[in-house]
Amino acid sequence: MDALALEAKVAKSESAIAPAPAPAKPRPKPPKTTKRIVYFEVEILDIKTREKLLLLDKVCQSLTCQASIFTDPHWYPARQSLRLDPKGKPLRDEEILQELPVGTTATFYFRDLGAQISWGTVFLIECIGPLVIYLLFYFRLPLIYTPKYEFTASKHLVVHIACVCHSFHYMKRIVETLFVHRLSHSTMPLCNIFKNCSYHWCFAAWMAYYINHPLYTPSYYGEKQVKAALALFLFCQLGSFSIHMALRNLKLPSCKIKKIPYPTKNPFTWIFALVSCPNYTYELGSWLGFTLMTQCVPVLFFTVVGFIQMTVWSKGKHRSYLKEFKEYPTLRSPILPFIL
């Protein structure tokens, strides 16, 4: 018994002092594979004359279309438009050369977009013009109406309400341009500013002339019509601002990834469930309210023309959503729920 106990004790002590197993050797890391860099030969042709403008050799595969082609300051990047086909769509700035359907020898067609101006500047000029022009007629400056009405005020309350609404609308647009909008396109052709401004400025003068005319006749149903129209106008103005804020929050600064806009906790954004471009819907409602308030033919004409233009824009945006997002809600209409 003593011998067995002694053997067990010796075995236990030997196992206690037995060396620990050697740690496993780490597996060698696989050698790093160097990425193969592909260089392209890029040929630039004039889109009209097919004349060779530039031949670039050994162009890096990661070159984006946003990169400037010409070093001449006259051809700054905003003026440059590249296409793979003369009749095709312009390439986006963020598209990379290696992702385009071209071989190692690529041919691009160049188009000069002309002198450019920032969208923000255009919007400001568009809005400041009508704001100032309308006030000139409201205060009845000389040479607008007959001399006896110079610097006189209208006796109709609706004329003063209309001036406040018109001024509020364009001041809201100025504030949104400065602090809210995040534009996907930074510039536009300089020549377009004359077309855009003439549209807004001329209509503002035409509307203001009749609304502030000394012989202006108020709305047919009087105060009730004015109050209902004012409520519609203010409601749609709040809705328009809410939509613009929702779109701003959807697009992060310096991020070009597009997302589907959805309703938020703000009730004014719930219309997103039915309409792709509710900002145009609210804009239409604002001018309908202004038309009912003033009961003026030039305002009605401006509303109709604006509605036609906004319909074209909203349909284009709606098609773009359907093309880019397979999961885009099919219940939505471009501008008017279930109608248009």
Side-chain angles (χ1 to χ4, degrees), residues 226-236 293:
V226 173
K227 288 182 178 180
L230 178 61
L232 175 61
F233 177 85
L234 294 177
F235 177 85
C236 291
M293 181 192 305

Side-chain angles (χ1 to χ4, degrees), residues 78-92:
R79 293 189 65 150
Q80 302 175 18
S81 173
L82 294 177
R83 304 165 188 243
L84 291 176
D85 185 86
K87 297 181 181 180
K89 293 183 179 181
L91 298 173
R92 298 191 304 272

Side-chain angles (χ1 to χ4, degrees), residues 7-215:
E7 288 180 5
K9 186 175 181 181
V10 170
K12 185 176 181 180
S13 61
E14 287 178 353
S15 63
I17 62 175
K25 294 182 179 180
R27 294 182 180 180
K29 294 182 179 180
K32 293 183 179 180
T33 56
T34 57
K35 293 184 178 180
R36 182 187 175 190
I37 299 177
V38 180
Y39 291 97
F40 289 76
E41 183 181 276
V42 178
E43 184 183 38
I44 309 297
L45 304 181
D46 186 272
I47 197 170
K48 294 181 180 179
T49 64
R50 304 296 192 271
E51 178 186 356
K52 184 185 291 185
L53 301 177
L54 194 63
L55 181 62
L56 302 175
D57 191 18
K58 291 187 177 180
V59 178
C60 183
Q61 60 186 0
S62 59
L63 183 74
T64 61
C65 296
Q66 189 177 18
S68 178
I69 299 172
F70 302 101
T71 56
D72 189 341
H74 177 71
W75 306 101
Y76 47 88
R79 293 189 65 150
Q80 302 175 18
S81 173
L82 294 177
R83 304 165 188 243
L84 291 176
D85 185 86
K87 297 181 181 180
K89 293 183 179 181
L91 298 173
R92 298 191 304 272
D93 292 342
E94 63 272 13
E95 290 189 90
I96 302 175
L97 185 58
Q98 66 177 352
E99 297 178 355
L100 297 175
V102 295
T104 54
T105 302
T107 301
F108 294 94
Y109 295 90
F110 169 78
R111 179 183 178 184
D112 177 21
L113 300 178
Q116 300 287 300
I117 186 173
S118 68
W119 274 95
T121 303
V122 174
F123 286 157
L124 289 177
I125 297 175
E126 282 182 5
C127 298
I128 292 174
L131 180 63
V132 174
I133 290 172
Y134 194 98
L135 293 177
L136 297 179
F137 287 88
Y138 175 75
F139 291 111
R140 295 178 179 174
L141 267 62
L143 304 179
I144 297 179
Y145 304 113
T146 55
K148 68 176 183 178
Y149 293 112
E150 292 178 359
F151 298 106
T152 58
S154 175
K155 62 182 179 180
H156 302 298
L157 179 61
V158 64
V159 173
H160 307 294
I161 296 176
C163 179
V164 173
C165 290
H166 188 274
S167 301
F168 174 80
H169 172 75
Y170 282 101
M171 285 191 291
K172 180 184 79 72
R173 290 188 58 177
I174 292 173
V175 171
E176 290 174 342
T177 301
L178 293 174
F179 305 107
V180 178
H181 292 318
R182 287 175 178 158
L183 304 173
S184 56
H185 300 284
S186 57
T187 63
M188 67 178 293
L190 180 61
C191 59
N192 286 4
I193 192 172
F194 303 103
K195 177 183 66 176
N196 292 20
C197 290
S198 60
Y199 167 75
H200 289 279
W201 292 20
C202 292
F203 264 115
W206 191 22
M207 292 187 295
Y209 177 81
Y210 285 99
I211 296 174
N212 299 286
H213 198 281
L215 301 180

